[in-house]
Amino acid sequence: MQFHIVTLFPAMFTALDTGLLARARRQGLIGVYPHDLRQYGLGNYHQVDDTPYGGGSGMVMRPEPIGAALDAVITMSPGLTRILLTPQGELLDQATVRELAAQSPGLLMIAGRYEGFDERVRELVDREISIGDYVLSGGELAAMVVIEAVARLIPGVLGNPASLAEESFAADTLEYPQYTRPEEFRGMRVPEILLSGDHGKIKRWRESEARKRTARRRPDLAVGRRFPT
Ligand code: 6GU
């Protein structure tokens, strides 16, 4: 799966040169391709932003460089799903992540800087996505969040596919409490049931703990909801 990003800061994506994603790239399971928006800027200064019509503070990203960058990438890789990263977009959740993971050959994301995009940029994309209700100075970190969340759903990227299956089964609840050694840490003991060896009892305990934790911490996660697998 291909992840293309149109950005003024392509170097930020070297952050993905480590760990799980680096291995996935070496194996050819994913490709991460930042494209420098500055190359498509206007005039001698390669301008990508301008003052807003009607006045006001801040700068607005001009539509032509973004349009030219999208055209160039789409010509090289037809069929990419075009995504504008913006706090005004639909909130990213695991159901959306699954939809994005099903896009072939991949995603073309626009990571903006400055105060916003010229409204006409919205006409150039297939969807708009936000990663949460807070403001970032640019879409780059949001793009990396999308890449990480989507890539781990691609077959072969995760070391242990069983954890994926468990996640999708338990997608409507938070995870149950987990413990490893030692049996006692600073006076806190591992729940006796986990040491019992009774796998039926352990399974029921975990389901019950996950339900209780979800009800207390995230009552908005509706009981019974399941993400498509
Ligand atoms: Cl996608 N972009 C920016 N700039 N800020 C955000 C965001 C995106 N999602 C949440 N905050």
Side-chain angles (χ1 to χ4, degrees):
M1 177 163 189
Q2 302 172 27
F3 298 96
H4 295 262
I5 314 98
V6 170
T7 171
L8 288 169
F9 298 94
M12 284 181 74
F13 292 84
T14 59
L16 303 180
D17 290 347
T18 179
L20 206 71
L21 290 181
R23 198 190 54 167
R25 292 171 70 176
R26 280 198 301 273
Q27 292 178 328
L29 298 171
I30 65 167
V32 178
Y33 311 102
H35 302 275
D36 190 356
L37 179 63
R38 188 69 60 187
Q39 291 184 354
Y40 301 92
L42 301 162
N44 283 341
Y45 296 96
H46 298 280
Q47 190 184 357
V48 296
D49 62 334
D50 212 330
T51 53
Y53 278 123
S57 62
M59 299 290 272
V60 177
M61 302 207 50
R62 289 180 60 130
E64 313 98 303
I66 293 175
L70 293 181
D71 288 350
V73 176
I74 292 287
T75 299
M76 288 189 298
S77 283
L80 294 169
T81 299
R82 294 158 301 181
I83 296 170
L84 186 65
L85 296 165
T86 163
Q88 300 181 26
E90 55 173 313
L91 274 182
L92 185 68
D93 63 10
Q94 194 63 21
T96 304
V97 169
R98 287 178 191 284
E99 284 178 24
L100 298 180
Q103 303 303 305
S104 175
L107 310 179
L108 168 50
M109 295 182 275
I110 306 168
R113 288 264 149 182
Y114 312 107
E115 322 293 312
F117 301 94
D118 182 286
E119 188 66 18
R120 293 163 290 188
V121 169
R122 300 187 193 285
E123 301 301 320
L124 307 180
V125 301
D126 300 299
R127 62 201 293 180
E128 302 178 27
I129 286 176
S130 164
I131 64 163
D133 288 334
Y134 41 81
V135 179
L136 305 170
S137 300
E140 283 79 9
L141 287 170
M144 288 189 248
V145 166
V146 170
I147 292 169
E148 161 113 12
V150 169
R152 57 193 295 291
L153 298 187
I154 294 167
V157 171
L158 275 197
N160 176 13
S163 51
L164 251 195
E166 248 169 69
E167 259 175 40
S168 101
F169 178 73
D172 59 343
T173 60
L174 303 180
E175 296 254 25
Y176 51 77
Q178 301 247 52
Y179 296 86
T180 184
R181 289 185 286 186
E183 275 187 36
E184 182 175 329
F185 169 68
R186 300 189 181 182
M188 298 175 280
R189 290 198 50 79
V190 173
E192 217 50 54
I193 194 165
L194 296 178
L195 311 173
S196 70
D198 184 336
H199 298 296
K201 262 179 133 173
I202 289 171
K203 184 163 179 284
R204 285 189 297 279
W205 180 83
R206 284 175 165 168
E207 284 166 4
S208 149
E209 291 296 312
R211 238 188 325 273
K212 277 192 287 185
R213 177 163 289 195
T214 306
R216 180 166 280 276
R217 297 190 182 194
R218 293 295 306 277
D220 57 304
L221 293 180
V223 174
R225 184 161 68 101
R226 285 275 193 275
F227 296 121
T229 44

